Amino acid sequence: MEAVPGYLSLHQSAESLTLKWTPNQLMNGTLGDSELEKSVYWDYALVVPFSQVVCIHCHQQKSGGTLVLVSQDGIQRPPLHFPQGGHLLSFLSCL
């Protein structure tokens, strides 16, 4: 499967820290209103409360890094691919 570029963000409230990832097609408004409602890209969007995460797998390659979050129920979230240049390490330091 080909990687889908998107927008990754961390959201902190008094009670929790949440990771959100949204495909670029939903963020930049390239889809029309009716297309947006039907878009398959909604299936790719992630909202992961870190209170549900028990394990983080990181893999560093020359081409970049990959991060996989594992929930309390043992389900692995789709891998998040980071480009080369220390982006994975920067993200982990934010956590």
Side-chain angles (χ1 to χ4, degrees):
M1 182 174 179
E2 213 175 294
V4 177
Y7 181 78
L8 181 67
S9 59
L10 290 172
H11 302 263
Q12 185 173 9
S13 68
E15 303 85 32
S16 66
L17 178 64
T18 302
L19 175 137
K20 293 184 180 184
W21 181 85
T22 307
N24 284 344
Q25 290 83 347
L26 298 176
M27 291 298 294
N28 63 21
T30 57
L31 301 172
D33 289 339
S34 61
E35 289 177 302
L36 188 60
E37 291 175 8
K38 300 176 192 173
S39 174
V40 297
Y41 289 105
W42 284 114
D43 293 338
Y44 293 113
L46 288 176
V47 176
V48 181
F50 272 94
S51 61
Q52 296 177 3
V53 174
V54 294
C55 186
I56 298 174
H57 293 280
C58 297
H59 302 278
Q60 189 73 35
Q61 301 93 17
K62 288 183 181 181
S63 61
T66 302
L67 178 119
V68 176
L69 303 172
V70 181
S71 298
Q72 292 174 349
D73 55 8
I75 294 176
Q76 291 186 8
R77 303 294 179 150
L80 299 170
H81 301 281
F82 292 82
Q84 65 183 24
H87 298 283
L88 176 58
L89 184 57
S90 294
F91 175 76
L92 292 172
S93 68
C94 289
L95 292 178

Coordinates of all heavy atoms in Angstrom, one line a residue:
M1 N 0.8 -1.2 0.0 CA 0.0 0.0 0.0 C 0.9 1.3 0.0 O 1.9 1.3 0.7 CB -0.9 0.0 1.2 CG -1.8 1.2 1.3 SD -3.0 0.9 2.7 CE -3.9 2.4 2.6
E2 N 0.5 2.2 -0.8 CA 1.2 3.5 -0.9 C 1.0 4.4 0.3 O -0.1 4.4 0.8 CB 0.8 4.2 -2.2 CG 1.9 5.0 -2.8 CD 1.4 5.5 -4.1 OE1 1.2 4.7 -5.1 OE2 1.4 6.8 -4.2
A3 N 2.0 5.1 0.8 CA 1.8 6.0 1.9 C 0.9 7.1 1.5 O 1.0 7.6 0.4 CB 3.2 6.5 2.4
V4 N 0.1 7.6 2.4 CA -0.8 8.7 2.2 C -0.3 9.9 3.0 O -0.2 9.8 4.2 CB -2.3 8.4 2.7 CG1 -3.2 9.6 2.5 CG2 -2.8 7.2 1.9
P5 N 0.1 11.0 2.4 CA 0.6 12.1 3.1 C -0.5 12.7 4.0 O -1.6 12.8 3.6 CB 1.1 13.1 2.1 CG 0.9 12.5 0.7 CD 0.2 11.2 0.9
G6 N -0.1 13.3 5.1 CA -1.1 13.9 6.0 C -0.5 14.8 7.0 O 0.7 15.1 7.0
Y7 N -1.3 15.3 7.9 CA -1.0 16.2 8.9 C -1.1 15.6 10.3 O -2.1 15.0 10.7 CB -2.0 17.4 8.8 CG -1.7 18.5 9.8 CD1 -0.7 19.4 9.6 CD2 -2.5 18.6 11.0 CE1 -0.5 20.4 10.5 CE2 -2.3 19.6 11.9 CZ -1.3 20.5 11.7 OH -1.0 21.5 12.6
L8 N 0.0 15.5 11.0 CA 0.1 14.9 12.3 C 0.2 16.0 13.4 O 0.9 17.0 13.2 CB 1.4 14.1 12.4 CG 1.7 13.3 13.6 CD1 0.7 12.2 13.8 CD2 3.1 12.7 13.6
S9 N -0.6 15.8 14.4 CA -0.6 16.8 15.5 C -0.9 16.1 16.8 O -1.4 15.1 16.9 CB -1.7 17.9 15.2 OG -3.0 17.3 15.1
L10 N -0.3 16.8 17.9 CA -0.6 16.3 19.3 C -1.5 17.4 19.9 O -1.3 18.6 19.8 CB 0.7 16.2 20.0 CG 1.7 15.1 19.6 CD1 3.0 15.3 20.3 CD2 1.1 13.8 20.0
H11 N -2.4 16.9 20.7 CA -3.4 17.8 21.4 C -3.4 17.5 22.9 O -3.7 16.3 23.2 CB -4.8 17.6 20.8 CG -4.8 17.9 19.3 ND1 -5.2 19.1 18.8 CD2 -4.5 17.1 18.3 CE1 -5.2 19.1 17.5 NE2 -4.7 17.9 17.1
Q12 N -3.0 18.4 23.7 CA -3.0 18.2 25.1 C -4.1 19.0 25.8 O -4.3 20.2 25.5 CB -1.6 18.6 25.7 CG -1.5 18.3 27.1 CD -0.1 18.5 27.6 OE1 0.8 19.1 27.0 NE2 0.2 18.1 28.8
S13 N -4.8 18.3 26.7 CA -5.8 19.0 27.5 C -5.3 18.7 29.0 O -4.3 18.0 29.2 CB -7.2 18.4 27.3 OG -7.3 17.1 27.7
A14 N -6.1 19.1 29.9 CA -5.8 18.9 31.3 C -5.8 17.4 31.6 O -5.1 16.9 32.5 CB -6.7 19.6 32.2
E15 N -6.6 16.7 30.9 CA -6.8 15.2 31.2 C -6.0 14.3 30.3 O -5.8 13.1 30.7 CB -8.3 14.8 31.2 CG -9.2 15.6 32.0 CD -9.7 16.9 31.4 OE1 -9.8 16.9 30.1 OE2 -9.9 17.9 32.1
S16 N -5.7 14.7 29.1 CA -5.2 13.7 28.2 C -4.2 14.3 27.1 O -4.2 15.5 26.9 CB -6.3 13.0 27.5 OG -7.0 13.9 26.7
L17 N -3.5 13.4 26.5 CA -2.7 13.8 25.3 C -3.3 12.9 24.2 O -3.4 11.7 24.3 CB -1.3 13.5 25.5 CG -0.3 13.7 24.4 CD1 -0.3 15.2 24.0 CD2 1.1 13.3 24.7
T18 N -3.6 13.5 23.0 CA -4.2 12.8 21.9 C -3.4 13.1 20.6 O -3.0 14.2 20.4 CB -5.6 13.2 21.7 OG1 -6.4 13.0 22.9 CG2 -6.3 12.5 20.6
L19 N -3.1 12.0 19.9 CA -2.5 12.1 18.6 C -3.6 12.1 17.5 O -4.5 11.3 17.6 CB -1.6 10.9 18.3 CG -0.9 10.8 17.0 CD1 0.5 10.5 17.1 CD2 -1.7 9.9 16.1
K20 N -3.5 13.1 16.6 CA -4.4 13.1 15.4 C -3.6 13.1 14.2 O -2.6 13.8 14.1 CB -5.3 14.3 15.5 CG -6.3 14.3 16.7 CD -7.2 15.5 16.7 CE -8.1 15.4 17.9 NZ -9.1 16.5 17.9
W21 N -4.1 12.4 13.2 CA -3.5 12.4 11.9 C -4.6 12.5 10.9 O -5.6 11.7 10.9 CB -2.7 11.1 11.6 CG -2.0 11.2 10.2 CD1 -0.8 11.8 9.9 CD2 -2.5 10.6 9.0 NE1 -0.6 11.6 8.6 CE2 -1.6 10.9 8.0 CE3 -3.7 9.9 8.7 CZ2 -1.8 10.5 6.7 CZ3 -3.9 9.5 7.4 CH2 -3.0 9.8 6.4
T22 N -4.5 13.4 9.9 CA -5.5 13.7 8.9 C -4.9 13.7 7.6 O -3.9 14.4 7.4 CB -6.3 15.0 9.2 OG1 -6.7 15.0 10.6 CG2 -7.4 15.2 8.3
P23 N -5.4 13.0 6.6 CA -4.9 13.0 5.2 C -4.9 14.4 4.7 O -5.8 15.2 4.9 CB -5.8 12.1 4.4 CG -6.4 11.2 5.4 CD -6.5 12.0 6.7
N24 N -3.9 14.8 3.9 CA -3.8 16.1 3.3 C -5.0 16.5 2.5 O -5.5 17.6 2.5 CB -2.6 16.2 2.4 CG -1.3 16.4 3.2 OD1 -1.3 16.7 4.4 ND2 -0.2 16.1 2.5
Q25 N -5.7 15.5 1.8 CA -6.8 15.8 1.0 C -8.0 16.4 1.8 O -8.8 17.1 1.3 CB -7.3 14.5 0.3 CG -6.4 14.1 -0.8 CD -5.2 13.2 -0.3 OE1 -4.9 13.2 0.9 NE2 -4.5 12.6 -1.2
L26 N -8.1 16.0 3.1 CA -9.1 16.5 4.0 C -8.7 17.8 4.6 O -9.5 18.7 4.9 CB -9.4 15.5 5.1 CG -10.0 14.2 4.6 CD1 -10.1 13.3 5.9 CD2 -11.3 14.3 3.9
M27 N -7.4 18.0 4.7 CA -6.9 19.3 5.4 C -6.9 20.5 4.4 O -7.2 21.6 4.8 CB -5.5 19.1 5.9 CG -5.4 18.1 7.1 SD -6.3 18.7 8.5 CE -5.4 20.1 8.9
N28 N -6.5 20.2 3.1 CA -6.3 21.4 2.2 C -7.5 21.7 1.4 O -7.4 22.6 0.6 CB -5.1 21.1 1.3 CG -5.2 19.9 0.4 OD1 -6.3 19.5 0.2 ND2 -4.1 19.4 0.0
G29 N -8.7 21.1 1.6 CA -9.9 21.4 0.9 C -9.9 21.2 -0.6 O -10.6 21.9 -1.3
T30 N -9.1 20.2 -1.1 CA -9.1 19.9 -2.5 C -10.4 19.2 -2.9 O -10.7 19.0 -4.1 CB -7.9 19.1 -2.9 OG1 -7.8 17.9 -2.2 CG2 -6.6 20.0 -2.7
L31 N -11.1 18.6 -2.0 CA -12.4 17.9 -2.3 C -13.5 18.9 -2.2 O -13.5 19.7 -1.3 CB -12.6 16.7 -1.3 CG -11.5 15.7 -1.3 CD1 -11.7 14.7 -0.2 CD2 -11.4 14.9 -2.6
G32 N -14.5 18.7 -3.0 CA -15.7 19.6 -2.9 C -16.6 19.1 -1.7 O -16.3 18.1 -1.1
D33 N -17.6 19.9 -1.3 CA -18.4 19.6 -0.1 C -19.0 18.2 -0.2 O -19.0 17.5 0.8 CB -19.4 20.7 0.1 CG -18.9 22.0 0.6 OD1 -17.7 22.0 1.1 OD2 -19.5 23.0 0.4
S34 N -19.6 17.9 -1.3 CA -20.3 16.6 -1.4 C -19.3 15.5 -1.4 O -19.4 14.4 -0.9 CB -21.2 16.5 -2.6 OG -20.5 16.7 -3.8
E35 N -18.1 15.7 -2.1 CA -17.1 14.7 -2.2 C -16.4 14.5 -0.8 O -16.1 13.4 -0.5 CB -16.0 15.2 -3.1 CG -16.3 15.2 -4.6 CD -15.2 15.8 -5.4 OE1 -14.8 16.9 -5.2 OE2 -14.7 15.0 -6.3
L36 N -16.3 15.6 0.0 CA -15.8 15.5 1.3 C -16.6 14.5 2.2 O -16.0 13.7 2.9 CB -15.7 16.9 1.9 CG -14.9 17.0 3.2 CD1 -13.5 16.6 3.1 CD2 -15.0 18.4 3.7
E37 N -17.9 14.6 2.1 CA -18.7 13.8 2.9 C -18.6 12.3 2.5 O -18.7 11.4 3.4 CB -20.2 14.2 2.8 CG -20.5 15.5 3.4 CD -21.9 16.0 3.1 OE1 -22.7 15.2 2.6 OE2 -22.3 17.1 3.4
K38 N -18.3 12.0 1.3 CA -18.2 10.6 0.8 C -16.8 10.1 0.8 O -16.6 9.0 0.4 CB -18.8 10.6 -0.6 CG -20.2 10.9 -0.8 CD -20.6 10.9 -2.3 CE -22.0 11.6 -2.5 NZ -22.3 11.7 -3.9
S39 N -15.9 11.0 1.1 CA -14.5 10.7 0.9 C -14.0 9.4 1.7 O -14.3 9.3 2.9 CB -13.6 11.8 1.3 OG -12.2 11.5 1.3
V40 N -13.3 8.6 1.0 CA -12.7 7.4 1.7 C -11.5 7.8 2.6 O -11.1 7.0 3.4 CB -12.2 6.3 0.6 CG1 -13.3 5.8 -0.2 CG2 -11.1 6.9 -0.2
Y41 N -11.0 9.0 2.4 CA -9.9 9.5 3.3 C -10.3 9.6 4.7 O -9.5 9.6 5.6 CB -9.4 10.8 2.7 CG -8.7 10.7 1.4 CD1 -9.2 11.1 0.3 CD2 -7.4 10.1 1.4 CE1 -8.6 11.0 -0.9 CE2 -6.7 10.0 0.2 CZ -7.3 10.4 -1.0 OH -6.6 10.2 -2.1
W42 N -11.6 9.7 5.0 CA -12.1 9.7 6.4 C -11.7 8.4 7.1 O -11.5 8.3 8.3 CB -13.6 10.0 6.5 CG -13.9 11.4 6.3 CD1 -14.7 11.9 5.3 CD2 -13.6 12.5 7.1 NE1 -14.8 13.3 5.4 CE2 -14.1 13.7 6.5 CE3 -12.8 12.7 8.3 CZ2 -13.9 15.0 7.1 CZ3 -12.7 13.9 8.9 CH2 -13.2 15.1 8.3
D43 N -11.7 7.3 6.3 CA -11.3 6.0 6.8 C -9.9 5.9 7.3 O -9.5 5.1 8.1 CB -11.6 4.9 5.8 CG -13.1 4.7 5.5 OD1 -13.9 5.1 6.3 OD2 -13.4 4.2 4.4
Y44 N -9.0 6.8 6.7 CA -7.6 6.8 7.1 C -7.3 7.7 8.3 O -6.2 7.6 8.9 CB -6.8 7.3 5.9 CG -6.8 6.4 4.7 CD1 -7.4 6.8 3.5 CD2 -6.2 5.1 4.8 CE1 -7.4 5.9 2.4 CE2 -6.2 4.3 3.7 CZ -6.8 4.7 2.5 OH -6.8 3.8 1.5
A45 N -8.2 8.6 8.6 CA -7.9 9.6 9.7 C -7.8 8.8 11.0 O -8.4 7.8 11.3 CB -9.1 10.6 9.8
L46 N -6.9 9.3 11.9 CA -6.6 8.6 13.2 C -6.8 9.6 14.3 O -6.5 10.8 14.2 CB -5.1 8.2 13.3 CG -4.7 7.0 12.5 CD1 -3.2 6.8 12.7 CD2 -5.4 5.8 12.9
V47 N -7.4 9.1 15.4 CA -7.5 9.9 16.6 C -7.2 8.8 17.7 O -7.9 7.9 17.9 CB -8.9 10.4 16.9 CG1 -9.0 11.1 18.2 CG2 -9.3 11.4 15.8
V48 N -6.0 9.0 18.3 CA -5.5 8.0 19.3 C -5.2 8.7 20.6 O -4.2 9.4 20.8 CB -4.2 7.4 18.8 CG1 -3.7 6.3 19.8 CG2 -4.4 6.7 17.4
P49 N -6.1 8.5 21.6 CA -5.7 9.0 23.0 C -4.5 8.2 23.5 O -4.6 6.9 23.5 CB -7.0 8.7 23.8 CG -8.0 8.4 22.8 CD -7.4 7.9 21.6
F50 N -3.5 8.8 24.0 CA -2.3 8.1 24.5 C -2.6 7.3 25.8 O -1.9 6.4 26.2 CB -1.1 9.1 24.7 CG -0.3 9.2 23.5 CD1 -0.6 10.2 22.6 CD2 0.7 8.3 23.2 CE1 0.2 10.3 21.4 CE2 1.4 8.4 22.0 CZ 1.2 9.4 21.1
S51 N -3.7 7.6 26.4 CA -4.1 6.8 27.6 C -4.4 5.3 27.2 O -4.4 4.4 28.0 CB -5.3 7.4 28.3 OG -6.4 7.4 27.4
Q52 N -4.7 5.1 25.9 CA -5.0 3.8 25.4 C -3.8 3.1 24.8 O -3.8 1.9 24.4 CB -6.1 3.9 24.3 CG -7.4 4.4 24.8 CD -8.4 4.5 23.6 OE1 -8.1 4.2 22.5 NE2 -9.6 5.0 24.0
V53 N -2.6 3.8 24.7 CA -1.4 3.2 24.1 C -0.6 2.6 25.2 O -0.3 3.2 26.2 CB -0.6 4.3 23.4 CG1 0.7 3.8 22.9 CG2 -1.5 4.9 22.3
V54 N -0.2 1.3 24.9 CA 0.7 0.6 25.9 C 2.1 0.4 25.4 O 3.0 0.1 26.1 CB 0.1 -0.7 26.3 CG1 -1.2 -0.5 27.1 CG2 -0.1 -1.6 25.1
C55 N 2.3 0.5 24.0 CA 3.6 0.3 23.4 C 3.8 1.1 22.2 O 2.8 1.3 21.4 CB 3.7 -1.2 23.1 SG 5.3 -1.7 22.5
I56 N 5.0 1.6 22.0 CA 5.3 2.3 20.8 C 6.5 1.6 20.1 O 7.6 1.4 20.8 CB 5.7 3.8 21.1 CG1 4.5 4.5 21.7 CG2 6.2 4.5 19.8 CD1 4.9 5.9 22.1
H57 N 6.3 1.2 18.9 CA 7.4 0.5 18.1 C 8.0 1.6 17.2 O 7.3 2.2 16.4 CB 6.9 -0.6 17.3 CG 6.5 -1.8 18.1 ND1 7.3 -2.7 18.6 CD2 5.2 -2.2 18.4 CE1 6.6 -3.6 19.3 NE2 5.3 -3.3 19.1
C58 N 9.3 1.8 17.2 CA 10.0 2.7 16.4 C 11.1 2.0 15.5 O 11.8 1.1 16.1 CB 10.7 3.8 17.2 SG 9.6 4.8 18.1
H59 N 11.1 2.3 14.3 CA 12.1 1.7 13.4 C 12.7 2.8 12.6 O 12.0 3.6 11.9 CB 11.5 0.7 12.4 CG 10.7 -0.4 13.1 ND1 11.4 -1.5 13.6 CD2 9.4 -0.5 13.5 CE1 10.5 -2.3 14.2 NE2 9.3 -1.7 14.2
Q60 N 14.0 2.9 12.7 CA 14.8 4.0 12.0 C 15.5 3.4 10.8 O 16.2 2.4 11.0 CB 15.8 4.6 13.0 CG 16.4 5.9 12.4 CD 15.5 7.1 12.3 OE1 14.6 7.2 13.2 NE2 15.7 7.9 11.3
Q61 N 15.3 4.0 9.6 CA 16.0 3.6 8.4 C 16.7 4.8 7.9 O 16.5 5.9 8.3 CB 15.1 3.0 7.4 CG 14.3 1.8 7.8 CD 12.9 2.1 8.4 OE1 12.4 3.2 8.2 NE2 12.3 1.2 9.1
K62 N 17.6 4.6 6.9 CA 18.3 5.7 6.2 C 17.2 6.6 5.6 O 17.4 7.8 5.5 CB 19.3 5.2 5.2 CG 20.5 4.6 5.8 CD 21.5 4.2 4.8 CE 22.7 3.6 5.4 NZ 23.7 3.2 4.4
S63 N 16.1 6.1 5.1 CA 15.1 6.8 4.4 C 14.2 7.6 5.3 O 13.3 8.3 4.8 CB 14.3 5.9 3.4 OG 13.7 4.9 4.2
G64 N 14.3 7.3 6.6 CA 13.4 8.0 7.6 C 13.1 7.0 8.7 O 13.8 6.1 9.0
G65 N 11.9 7.2 9.3 CA 11.6 6.4 10.4 C 10.1 6.0 10.4 O 9.3 6.6 9.7
T66 N 9.7 4.9 11.1 CA 8.4 4.4 11.2 C 8.0 4.3 12.6 O 8.8 3.8 13.4 CB 8.2 3.1 10.5 OG1 8.6 3.2 9.1 CG2 6.8 2.6 10.5
L67 N 6.8 4.7 13.0 CA 6.3 4.6 14.3 C 5.0 3.8 14.3 O 4.1 4.1 13.5 CB 6.1 6.0 14.9 CG 5.5 6.0 16.3 CD1 6.5 6.7 17.2 CD2 4.2 6.8 16.3
V68 N 4.8 2.8 15.2 CA 3.6 2.0 15.3 C 3.1 2.1 16.7 O 3.9 1.8 17.6 CB 3.8 0.6 14.8 CG1 2.5 -0.2 15.1 CG2 4.2 0.5 13.4
L69 N 1.9 2.5 16.9 CA 1.3 2.5 18.3 C 0.5 1.3 18.5 O -0.3 0.9 17.6 CB 0.4 3.8 18.4 CG 1.1 5.1 18.1 CD1 0.0 6.2 18.1 CD2 2.1 5.4 19.2
V70 N 0.6 0.7 19.7 CA -0.2 -0.5 20.1 C -1.1 -0.1 21.2 O -0.6 0.4 22.2 CB 0.8 -1.7 20.5 CG1 -0.1 -2.9 20.8 CG2 1.8 -2.0 19.3
S71 N -2.4 -0.4 21.0 CA -3.4 -0.1 22.0 C -3.5 -1.2 23.1 O -2.9 -2.3 23.0 CB -4.8 0.1 21.4 OG -4.8 1.1 20.5
Q72 N -4.2 -0.9 24.2 CA -4.3 -1.8 25.3 C -5.0 -3.1 24.9 O -4.7 -4.1 25.5 CB -5.2 -1.2 26.4 CG -4.6 0.0 27.1 CD -5.5 0.7 28.1 OE1 -6.7 0.5 28.1 NE2 -5.0 1.6 28.9
D73 N -5.8 -3.1 23.9 CA -6.4 -4.3 23.4 C -5.6 -5.1 22.4 O -6.0 -6.1 21.9 CB -7.8 -4.0 22.7 CG -7.7 -3.0 21.6 OD1 -6.6 -2.6 21.2 OD2 -8.8 -2.5 21.1
G74 N -4.3 -4.6 22.2 CA -3.4 -5.3 21.4 C -3.4 -5.0 19.9 O -2.6 -5.5 19.1
I75 N -4.3 -4.1 19.5 CA -4.4 -3.7 18.1 C -3.3 -2.7 17.8 O -3.1 -1.7 18.5 CB -5.8 -3.1 17.9 CG1 -6.9 -4.1 18.0 CG2 -5.9 -2.5 16.5 CD1 -8.3 -3.6 17.9
Q76 N -2.7 -2.9 16.7 CA -1.6 -2.0 16.2 C -2.3 -1.0 15.3 O -3.0 -1.4 14.4 CB -0.6 -2.8 15.4 CG 0.3 -3.7 16.3 CD 1.4 -4.3 15.5 OE1 1.7 -3.9 14.3 NE2 2.1 -5.2 16.1
R77 N -2.0 0.2 15.5 CA -2.5 1.3 14.6 C -1.7 1.3 13.3 O -0.6 0.7 13.3 CB -2.4 2.7 15.3 CG -3.1 2.8 16.6 CD -4.6 2.7 16.4 NE -5.2 2.8 17.7 CZ -6.4 3.3 17.9 NH1 -7.1 3.7 16.8 NH2 -7.0 3.3 19.0
P78 N -2.2 1.9 12.2 CA -1.4 1.9 11.0 C -0.1 2.6 11.2 O 0.0 3.6 12.0 CB -2.3 2.7 10.0 CG -3.7 2.6 10.6 CD -3.5 2.5 12.1
P79 N 1.0 2.2 10.5 CA 2.3 2.8 10.7 C 2.3 4.3 10.3 O 1.7 4.6 9.3 CB 3.2 2.0 9.9 CG 2.4 1.3 8.9 CD 1.0 1.2 9.5
L80 N 3.0 5.1 11.0 CA 3.2 6.5 10.7 C 4.7 6.6 10.2 O 5.6 6.2 10.9 CB 3.0 7.4 11.9 CG 1.6 7.4 12.5 CD1 1.6 8.1 13.8 CD2 0.6 7.9 11.5
H81 N 4.8 7.1 8.9 CA 6.2 7.2 8.3 C 6.7 8.6 8.4 O 5.9 9.5 8.0 CB 6.1 6.7 6.8 CG 5.6 5.3 6.7 ND1 6.4 4.2 6.9 CD2 4.4 4.8 6.3 CE1 5.8 3.1 6.7 NE2 4.5 3.4 6.4
F82 N 7.9 8.8 8.9 CA 8.5 10.1 9.0 C 9.6 10.2 8.0 O 10.4 9.2 7.8 CB 9.1 10.3 10.4 CG 8.0 10.4 11.5 CD1 7.4 9.2 12.0 CD2 7.6 11.6 11.9 CE1 6.5 9.3 13.0 CE2 6.6 11.7 12.9 CZ 6.1 10.6 13.4
P83 N 9.8 11.3 7.3 CA 10.9 11.5 6.4 C 12.2 11.5 7.1 O 12.3 11.8 8.3 CB 10.6 12.8 5.6 CG 9.7 13.5 6.6 CD 9.0 12.5 7.4
Q84 N 13.3 11.3 6.4 CA 14.6 11.4 7.0 C 14.9 12.8 7.4 O 14.3 13.8 7.0 CB 15.7 11.0 6.0 CG 15.9 11.8 4.8 CD 16.9 11.2 3.8 OE1 17.2 10.0 3.8 NE2 17.5 12.1 3.0
G85 N 15.9 12.9 8.4 CA 16.2 14.2 8.9 C 15.9 14.5 10.3 O 15.8 15.6 10.8
G86 N 15.7 13.4 11.1 CA 15.4 13.5 12.5 C 14.0 13.8 12.9 O 13.7 14.2 14.0
H87 N 13.1 13.7 12.0 CA 11.7 14.0 12.3 C 11.0 13.1 13.3 O 10.3 13.5 14.2 CB 10.8 14.1 11.0 CG 11.3 15.1 10.0 ND1 11.0 16.5 10.2 CD2 12.0 15.1 8.9 CE1 11.5 17.2 9.2 NE2 12.2 16.3 8.4
L88 N 11.4 11.8 13.2 CA 10.9 10.8 14.2 C 11.4 11.1 15.6 O 10.6 11.2 16.5 CB 11.2 9.4 13.8 CG 10.8 8.3 14.8 CD1 9.3 8.3 15.0 CD2 11.3 7.0 14.2
L89 N 12.6 11.4 15.7 CA 13.2 11.8 17.0 C 12.6 13.1 17.5 O 12.3 13.1 18.7 CB 14.7 11.9 16.9 CG 15.5 12.2 18.2 CD1 15.2 11.1 19.2 CD2 17.0 12.3 17.9
S90 N 12.4 14.0 16.7 CA 11.7 15.3 17.1 C 10.3 15.0 17.6 O 9.9 15.5 18.7 CB 11.6 16.3 16.0 OG 12.9 16.7 15.6
F91 N 9.6 14.1 17.0 CA 8.2 13.8 17.4 C 8.3 13.1 18.8 O 7.5 13.4 19.7 CB 7.5 12.9 16.4 CG 6.2 12.4 16.8 CD1 5.1 13.2 16.8 CD2 6.1 11.1 17.3 CE1 3.9 12.8 17.3 CE2 4.9 10.6 17.7 CZ 3.7 11.5 17.7
L92 N 9.2 12.1 18.9 CA 9.3 11.4 20.2 C 9.7 12.3 21.3 O 9.2 12.2 22.4 CB 10.3 10.3 20.0 CG 9.9 9.1 19.1 CD1 11.0 8.1 18.9 CD2 8.6 8.4 19.7
S93 N 10.5 13.3 21.0 CA 10.9 14.3 22.1 C 9.7 15.1 22.5 O 9.7 15.6 23.7 CB 12.1 15.1 21.7 OG 11.7 16.0 20.6
C94 N 8.7 15.3 21.6 CA 7.5 16.1 22.0 C 6.7 15.3 23.0 O 5.9 15.8 23.8 CB 6.7 16.4 20.8 SG 7.4 17.7 19.7
L95 N 6.7 14.0 22.8 CA 5.9 13.1 23.7 C 6.5 13.2 25.1 O 5.8 13.1 26.1 CB 5.9 11.7 23.3 CG 5.2 11.4 22.0 CD1 5.3 9.9 21.6 CD2 3.7 11.8 22.1

